[in-house]
Amino acid sequence: MTDVVGFGRLWVVQAVAAAGGIGGGLWATRLWGMAVLAGGLGMLLPPFIAAPARRRRQTAEALAWQAWTRQIAELARSGAGLGDALAASTEHAPPQIAATVSRAARTARLVGLRAATDELAAVGQVWEPEAAAGLRIAASSGGPLAGPLSDLAGRIGDIVALHRARTEAVVQLWTQTIALLALAGGVVTLMYRNNPAYFEPYRTPTGQAVLLLIAFVLLGATAFLVRHSVVRAEPSVLVAPKRASRAPDPL
């Protein structure tokens, strides 16, 4: 629910920034190409600027699930049953997932483990289905719980490692993109401030058309960089894809 609200707010910010960019660019330069470029950047940059906070939340959640699966495996290794281990893990569960773990433990106590794992799998699409599947395997193994739960902890750890490696690569691209955008913006601003006559040819109808074409090319390149500079949490392979023709990529 929080992600949906945040997404809605982001669209409002993008719309306001785009309108402000178009108005400000047209007022400052009287060039439609510059107005379109400023408005397009206003539309593209808010999610790009918000990306670091989103990456931190995703990484914190990933590490929380990694810590919790290791914790429940250790509880099982100490002799606790799966229901008892699940209940005991609520006391020290990481804050990012404490509410989810508490609900699952309460459902396991009142209705049963199967209902608890089904509820857990339905909570999210990235980590929760993996954790729920591991708990189901442990519950149905018929042997010691420590082995299946340790396997679950190892699998979650592998997925987290892939997530962090991907995040590091995206952070590098984000840094490069912000540097290129800052350099390009600074150069254009200095050119317009120090030599406004440079833009005089673009005030003709043909010049306006050429400048619009340049603006669309620059916005297309920027959109490509922005899209690949944002970490997107891919659904678990255990979740059915929304489009049957395209299976989700694992993290």
Side-chain angles (χ1 to χ4, degrees):
M1 183 66 179
T2 302
D3 291 341
V4 173
V5 174
F7 183 75
R9 290 176 180 172
L10 188 59
W11 268 108
V12 172
V13 173
Q14 286 180 280
V16 171
I22 291 173
L26 192 60
W27 174 79
T29 66
R30 299 295 189 271
L31 294 169
W32 279 106
M34 297 298 288
V36 169
L37 182 60
L41 289 175
M43 175 65 72
L44 292 172
L45 289 183
F48 179 74
I49 294 172
R54 182 181 180 184
R55 285 197 299 267
R56 287 192 292 269
R57 288 195 302 270
Q58 290 175 344
T59 299
E61 183 180 0
L63 293 176
W65 282 109
Q66 183 180 31
W68 180 76
T69 52
R70 288 177 177 172
Q71 179 186 13
I72 200 169
E74 290 301 321
L75 287 168
R77 186 174 287 111
S78 67
L82 185 55
D84 294 335
L86 189 59
S89 70
T90 60
E91 184 177 354
H92 301 289
Q96 293 84 0
I97 62 171
T100 300
V101 171
S102 296
R103 284 195 299 271
R106 183 169 58 251
T107 301
R109 184 176 67 253
L110 297 177
V111 185
L113 281 170
R114 180 67 187 186
T117 56
D118 290 343
E119 181 182 65
L120 178 61
V123 171
Q125 292 194 328
V126 180
W127 308 104
E128 294 84 355
E130 299 285 345
L135 293 178
R136 289 193 195 107
I137 292 172
S140 60
S141 64
L145 295 173
L149 291 177
S150 295
D151 292 341
L152 170 62
R155 173 168 172 76
I156 295 292
D158 291 341
I159 299 174
V160 170
L162 289 172
H163 170 80
R164 299 192 74 175
R166 181 182 179 188
T167 300
E168 290 175 2
V170 170
V171 168
Q172 293 179 357
L173 181 58
W174 190 94
T175 304
Q176 294 169 0
T177 301
I178 199 67
L180 289 172
L181 290 176
L183 177 62
V187 168
V188 172
T189 301
L190 288 175
M191 286 174 62
Y192 191 83
R193 177 180 176 83
N194 296 332
N195 187 19
Y198 177 83
F199 292 90
E200 287 302 320
Y202 293 104
R203 299 189 185 280
T204 65
T206 303
Q208 291 273 18
V210 171
L211 190 58
L212 279 171
L213 179 61
I214 293 173
F216 284 125
V217 171
L218 290 175
L219 287 175
T222 304
F224 177 83
L225 290 173
V226 168
R227 174 171 177 77
H228 291 280
S229 297
V230 177
V231 176
R232 292 170 178 81
E234 298 288 348
S236 166
V237 294
L238 301 176
V239 176
K242 293 182 180 179
R243 290 182 293 173
S245 61
R246 182 177 182 273
D249 299 324
L251 279 177

